[in-house]
Protein backbone atom coordinates (compact mmCIF):
# COMPACT_ATOMS: atom_id res chain seq x y z
CA UNK A 1 0.00 0.00 0.00
CA UNK A 2 1.36 3.42 -1.02
CA UNK A 3 1.91 6.15 1.57
CA UNK A 4 1.25 8.84 -1.06
CA UNK A 5 -2.00 10.80 -0.77
CA UNK A 6 -4.67 10.16 -3.42
CA UNK A 7 -3.89 11.51 -6.89
CA UNK A 8 -6.56 14.23 -6.79
CA UNK A 9 -5.14 15.55 -3.50
CA UNK A 10 -1.66 15.66 -5.02
CA UNK A 11 -3.00 17.46 -8.11
CA UNK A 12 -4.63 20.02 -5.80
CA UNK A 13 -1.42 20.57 -3.81
CA UNK A 14 0.63 20.89 -7.02
CA UNK A 15 -1.85 23.44 -8.38
CA UNK A 16 -1.88 25.48 -5.16
CA UNK A 17 1.93 25.44 -4.99
CA UNK A 18 2.17 26.70 -8.58
CA UNK A 19 -0.57 29.30 -7.98
CA UNK A 20 1.23 30.61 -4.86
CA UNK A 21 4.48 30.88 -6.81
CA UNK A 22 2.77 32.87 -9.57
CA UNK A 23 0.99 35.16 -7.11
CA UNK A 24 4.26 35.84 -5.29
CA UNK A 25 5.76 37.04 -8.58
CA UNK A 26 2.86 39.48 -8.99
CA UNK A 27 2.92 40.94 -5.45
CA UNK A 28 5.36 43.77 -6.37
CA UNK A 29 3.00 44.75 -9.21
CA UNK A 30 0.00 45.05 -6.85
CA UNK A 31 -2.26 42.82 -8.89
CA UNK A 32 -3.70 39.38 -8.22
CA UNK A 33 -3.61 36.38 -10.51
CA UNK A 34 -7.36 36.58 -10.99
CA UNK A 35 -7.22 40.28 -11.83
CA UNK A 36 -4.49 39.82 -14.45
CA UNK A 37 -6.41 36.85 -15.89
CA UNK A 38 -9.55 38.99 -16.29
CA UNK A 39 -7.54 41.80 -17.91
CA UNK A 40 -6.00 39.36 -20.37
CA UNK A 41 -9.45 38.00 -21.28
CA UNK A 42 -10.78 41.54 -21.73
CA UNK A 43 -8.03 42.31 -24.22
CA UNK A 44 -9.32 39.41 -26.33
CA UNK A 45 -13.03 40.33 -25.96
CA UNK A 46 -14.52 43.84 -26.04
CA UNK A 47 -16.51 43.18 -22.85
CA UNK A 48 -17.66 40.49 -20.47
CA UNK A 49 -20.47 40.43 -17.94
CA UNK A 50 -19.94 39.54 -14.27
CA UNK A 51 -21.48 36.07 -14.71
CA UNK A 52 -19.03 35.26 -17.51
CA UNK A 53 -16.14 36.46 -15.36
CA UNK A 54 -17.34 34.35 -12.42
CA UNK A 55 -17.51 31.29 -14.67
CA UNK A 56 -14.02 31.93 -16.07
CA UNK A 57 -12.59 32.31 -12.55
CA UNK A 58 -14.47 29.29 -11.16
CA UNK A 59 -15.98 31.44 -8.43
CA UNK A 60 -19.44 32.61 -7.45
CA UNK A 61 -20.96 35.84 -8.74
CA UNK A 62 -20.49 37.85 -5.49
CA UNK A 63 -16.76 36.98 -5.47
CA UNK A 64 -16.45 38.04 -9.11
CA UNK A 65 -18.21 41.31 -8.25
CA UNK A 66 -15.64 42.04 -5.52
CA UNK A 67 -12.80 41.36 -7.98
CA UNK A 68 -14.44 43.58 -10.61
CA UNK A 69 -15.10 46.39 -8.12
CA UNK A 70 -11.46 46.31 -6.95
CA UNK A 71 -10.30 46.47 -10.57
CA UNK A 72 -12.68 49.36 -11.25
CA UNK A 73 -11.27 51.26 -8.24
CA UNK A 74 -7.79 50.79 -9.73
CA UNK A 75 -9.06 52.20 -13.02
CA UNK A 76 -8.28 48.99 -14.94
CA UNK A 77 -11.87 48.28 -16.01
CA UNK A 78 -15.08 50.21 -16.47
CA UNK A 79 -18.67 49.12 -16.10
CA UNK A 80 -21.47 50.10 -18.43
CA UNK A 81 -25.14 49.19 -18.64
CA UNK A 82 -26.39 47.27 -21.64
CA UNK A 83 -28.47 49.72 -23.72
CA UNK A 84 -31.06 47.04 -24.55
CA UNK A 85 -31.29 45.43 -21.11
CA UNK A 86 -30.43 47.83 -18.28
CA UNK A 87 -30.10 44.90 -15.86
CA UNK A 88 -27.03 43.66 -17.73
CA UNK A 89 -23.62 45.11 -16.93
CA UNK A 90 -20.67 45.03 -19.31
CA UNK A 91 -17.10 45.10 -18.06
CA UNK A 92 -14.44 46.47 -20.42
CA UNK A 93 -10.71 47.06 -20.05
CA UNK A 94 -9.51 50.67 -19.88
CA UNK A 95 -6.28 52.15 -21.19
CA UNK A 96 -4.97 51.97 -17.58
CA UNK A 97 -5.80 48.25 -17.60
CA UNK A 98 -3.88 47.78 -20.84
CA UNK A 99 -0.96 49.72 -19.36
CA UNK A 100 -1.05 47.48 -16.28
CA UNK A 101 -0.81 44.37 -18.45
CA UNK A 102 2.11 45.89 -20.35
CA UNK A 103 3.87 46.61 -17.06
CA UNK A 104 3.54 42.93 -16.12
CA UNK A 105 5.58 41.74 -19.09
CA UNK A 106 8.78 41.48 -17.03
CA UNK A 107 7.00 39.51 -14.30
CA UNK A 108 5.58 37.09 -16.86
CA UNK A 109 8.96 36.67 -18.51
CA UNK A 110 10.44 35.59 -15.15
CA UNK A 111 7.44 33.34 -14.46
CA UNK A 112 7.94 31.56 -17.78
CA UNK A 113 11.58 30.90 -16.84
CA UNK A 114 10.24 28.54 -14.17
CA UNK A 115 8.43 25.73 -15.93
CA UNK A 116 7.15 23.11 -13.45
CA UNK A 117 6.84 20.60 -16.30
CA UNK A 118 10.51 20.92 -17.24
CA UNK A 119 11.23 17.84 -15.11
CA UNK A 120 9.41 15.71 -17.72
CA UNK A 121 10.69 14.43 -21.02
CA UNK A 122 8.70 15.32 -24.13
CA UNK A 123 7.17 11.84 -24.06
CA UNK A 124 6.20 12.20 -20.39
CA UNK A 125 4.67 15.61 -21.10
CA UNK A 126 2.56 14.11 -23.89
CA UNK A 127 1.50 11.24 -21.64
CA UNK A 128 0.59 13.61 -18.81
CA UNK A 129 -1.40 15.78 -21.23
CA UNK A 130 -3.34 12.75 -22.50
CA UNK A 131 -4.09 11.59 -18.94
CA UNK A 132 -5.22 15.05 -17.84
CA UNK A 133 -7.44 15.37 -20.93
CA UNK A 134 -8.99 12.00 -20.12
CA UNK A 135 -9.59 13.08 -16.50
CA UNK A 136 -11.06 16.41 -17.62
CA UNK A 137 -13.42 14.70 -20.08
CA UNK A 138 -14.51 12.28 -17.37
CA UNK A 139 -15.22 15.13 -14.94
CA UNK A 140 -17.24 16.96 -17.61
CA UNK A 141 -19.35 13.83 -18.16
CA UNK A 142 -19.98 13.53 -14.42
CA UNK A 143 -20.87 17.23 -14.24
CA UNK A 144 -23.36 16.98 -17.13
CA UNK A 145 -25.02 13.89 -15.61
CA UNK A 146 -25.60 15.76 -12.33
CA UNK A 147 -27.15 18.85 -14.00
Amino acid sequence: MSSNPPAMSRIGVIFLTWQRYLQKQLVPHQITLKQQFVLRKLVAKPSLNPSQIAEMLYCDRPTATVIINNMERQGWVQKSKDPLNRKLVHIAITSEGRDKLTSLKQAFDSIQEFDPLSCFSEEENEQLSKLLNKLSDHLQQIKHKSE
Side-chain angles (χ1 to χ4, degrees):
M1 188 147 120
S2 173
S3 63
N4 285 332
M8 290 302 288
S9 294
R10 292 196 330 256
I11 290 170
V13 168
I14 290 165
F15 172 74
L16 289 174
T17 302
W18 175 236
Q19 190 175 41
R20 286 178 184 149
Y21 170 80
L22 295 175
Q23 185 59 56
K24 188 176 179 181
Q25 304 309 306
L26 292 176
V27 166
H29 301 276
Q30 299 179 327
I31 189 168
T32 68
L33 271 174
K34 289 180 180 183
Q35 290 170 336
Q36 69 79 29
F37 181 77
V38 171
L39 289 179
R40 289 171 55 166
K41 292 298 182 184
L42 287 171
V43 166
K45 287 194 168 211
S47 72
L48 294 167
N49 65 48
S51 295
Q52 291 170 311
I53 292 172
E55 189 175 317
M56 286 180 348
L57 295 176
Y58 294 95
C59 67
D60 57 25
R61 173 78 193 272
T63 300
T65 298
V66 169
I67 292 166
I68 293 163
N69 288 343
N70 288 338
M71 293 172 67
E72 185 180 35
R73 268 193 295 284
Q74 294 292 332
W76 301 335
V77 299
Q78 66 182 23
K79 296 178 189 172
S80 62
K81 296 274 186 189
D82 186 299
L84 301 176
N85 181 348
R86 304 290 292 162
K87 291 180 182 179
L88 288 179
V89 175
H90 294 285
I91 311 300
I93 192 168
T94 63
S95 59
E96 291 92 344
R98 289 179 192 280
D99 291 346
K100 187 63 174 181
L101 276 181
T102 300
S103 76
L104 295 175
K105 183 172 178 1
Q106 183 180 0
F108 284 115
D109 287 347
S110 67
I111 287 170
Q112 289 174 1
E113 288 174 15
F114 176 67
D115 179 5
L117 300 180
S118 63
C119 63
F120 296 129
S121 68
E122 190 174 327
E123 183 180 313
E124 288 170 327
N125 256 317
E126 288 174 19
Q127 185 179 17
L128 178 61
S129 182
K130 285 178 185 175
L131 290 171
L132 290 174
N133 285 340
K134 184 175 182 178
L135 177 59
S136 179
D137 291 347
H138 178 66
L139 289 174
Q140 287 300 318
Q141 289 175 2
I142 291 171
K143 179 183 166 192
H144 289 303
K145 285 181 185 176
S146 69
E147 291 177 344

